[in-house]
Amino acid sequence: MSLLPADYIGHEDAWIEWRRALGGERMHHGWILSGRKGVGKSAFALAAARELVAEDGVPQPTGEHPDVIYLSHPPKNDGEAKKAAEGKPYERARNIKIDQVRKLQQRLNTRPTVGSRRAVIIDPADDMEPSAANALLKTLEEPPQGTFVILVAHRIGRLLPTIRSRCRILNFPRVSDADMEAVLAREAPQATGEMRAAAIAAASGSPGAAIDFVELDLGKIHTLMQQIADNGDPDFGLRGRLAAAMGARPSREKQLAAIELARAVVAARMNSVAQAEIPELVKTHSALVRLSAQAPTANFDPGLLIMEVGTLLTGLAASHSAA
């Protein structure tokens, strides 16, 4: 079977495992695609789902497939839903809701439209409300005939243990720097060599994060974060410049990308510091992980959020001086 256009660099092992299972006697009904955000799990899920529902001798639609159900963040409110219906850009809710899962379960009471199989993709599954996750568990425990569930997870640890235990896991590792260079050359040709190098260093093996780095113009923010981590910021001047670089009304996407960028700055120092500095690095990284988990659902002031990120990074400079 030839690879599909949606195949991304670094998916070779995942495709081998998926297709081995697909060709086996009994395909597992639940799958988790686990890995960093931006490594192409969503594209893999959509392509894999189409392979799953395809049957020999049964013509398959070229556009959206009625037997591939994709569940993600809904519009934030009725006004945003109207924009979505009109094909306009719209703001999404922060979580996948229980009402979405219940509507999905009602739909699963019917037979597939084209063939005998149906695939459900929930992306990202780690953004489900607790009630939605509990409701989905019932489907995983007793899946309807011919129904298969694919969960895309950026942080698998946020999924319920009972959901993880009922699914087979496909891991998507970080992409090598050489392959990241090839991706950026194709997807972001406008980026200079220096910008591509900075994006690759900051993205920690995630092509999607590297592309965001270029498209969201995070180069200046990355430089300031590194300066704060190296030298501290006793007069708050660098943190003020960091807030200015973020802008007065940054998008939520840019805010989340900035937190991920700070995590990358911390992670990049892990292998080149004195032993005495490691506890502070771990402490700072853990705080950024918590902030990253809270940011999608909390109404943080953007200026205060980026100042908090900068303050966390100042601790690295202090621990370096002490070491």
Side-chain angles (χ1 to χ4, degrees):
M1 187 180 296
S2 63
L3 295 182
L4 299 175
D7 287 327
Y8 280 18
I9 291 171
H11 287 186
E12 294 82 2
D13 290 343
W15 274 120
I16 290 171
E17 187 173 345
W18 173 261
R19 286 166 175 159
R20 184 182 294 129
L22 195 57
E25 293 184 3
R26 186 176 180 182
M27 181 73 168
H28 201 285
H29 69 276
W31 291 77
I32 296 174
L33 311 186
S34 175
R36 281 209 64 195
K37 184 178 181 180
V39 296
K41 301 185 301 296
S42 299
F44 181 97
L46 289 165
R50 290 190 73 98
E51 285 196 0
L52 175 66
V53 302
E55 296 179 16
D56 291 339
V58 179
Q60 300 294 309
T62 56
E64 290 188 11
H65 200 297
D67 293 330
V68 175
I69 305 171
Y70 184 83
L71 209 65
S72 190
H73 302 94
K76 183 178 179 180
N77 50 42
D78 290 343
E80 299 302 315
K82 184 178 179 181
K83 293 179 185 176
E86 296 171 351
K88 299 177 181 177
Y90 64 96
E91 187 175 352
R92 295 177 180 270
R94 297 167 185 169
N95 295 103
I96 295 172
K97 311 293 185 181
I98 186 172
D99 289 346
Q100 293 175 271
V101 175
R102 286 175 174 163
K103 288 178 182 177
L104 165 68
Q105 290 169 328
Q106 291 175 358
R107 183 172 174 180
L108 296 182
N109 290 327
T110 64
R111 293 179 59 82
T113 303
V114 177
S116 61
R117 289 179 167 184
R118 177 164 25 203
V120 174
I121 301 169
I122 300 182
D123 179 17
D126 37 320
D127 275 356
M128 285 188 292
E129 292 177 336
S131 55
N134 282 309
L136 178 68
L137 184 58
K138 298 177 181 178
T139 298
L140 289 170
E141 289 172 341
E142 299 179 9
Q145 181 69 29
T147 294
F148 300 83
V149 180
I150 302 173
L151 306 178
V152 175
H154 307 319
R155 298 188 181 94
I156 192 171
R158 293 176 63 186
L159 293 177
L160 292 174
T162 44
I163 287 180
R164 298 199 302 268
S165 67
R166 285 165 173 78
C167 295
R168 185 167 168 177
I169 298 172
L170 275 183
N171 288 308
F172 289 74
R174 73 182 302 279
V175 176
S176 70
D177 288 355
D179 287 339
M180 292 271 283
E181 178 73 37
V183 171
L184 282 177
R186 184 183 69 234
E187 302 292 339
Q190 76 278 15
T192 63
E194 183 179 352
M195 175 66 80
R196 287 203 301 271
I200 290 169
S204 299
S206 167
I211 293 169
D212 284 346
F213 183 99
V214 174
E215 294 182 345
L216 295 173
D217 194 21
L218 298 177
K220 186 175 182 180
I221 291 170
H222 183 234
T223 298
L224 289 166
M225 286 181 175
Q226 289 182 314
Q227 290 175 353
I228 292 171
D230 287 339
N231 307 314
D233 185 28
D235 62 357
F236 281 81
L238 288 174
R239 275 170 281 186
R241 290 167 59 191
L242 187 63
M246 280 292 292
R249 299 182 63 184
S251 66
R252 184 171 295 273
E253 181 184 19
K254 189 169 185 177
Q255 294 175 56
L256 296 177
I259 298 173
E260 292 300 314
L261 191 58
R263 289 178 60 191
V265 168
V266 175
R269 308 170 93 82
M270 287 288 189
N271 296 323
S272 59
V273 296
Q275 188 73 23
E277 297 177 65
I278 292 178
E280 184 64 30
L281 281 167
V282 173
K283 175 184 174 183
T284 302
H285 191 268
S286 297
L288 288 168
V289 169
R290 288 195 296 272
L291 197 59
S292 179
Q294 295 166 355
T297 57
N299 287 319
F300 291 134
D301 177 272
L304 294 178
L305 175 64
I306 196 62
M307 291 290 279
E308 172 65 15
V309 170
T311 297
L312 290 172
L313 293 175
T314 61
L316 303 184
S319 68
H320 180 70
S321 298

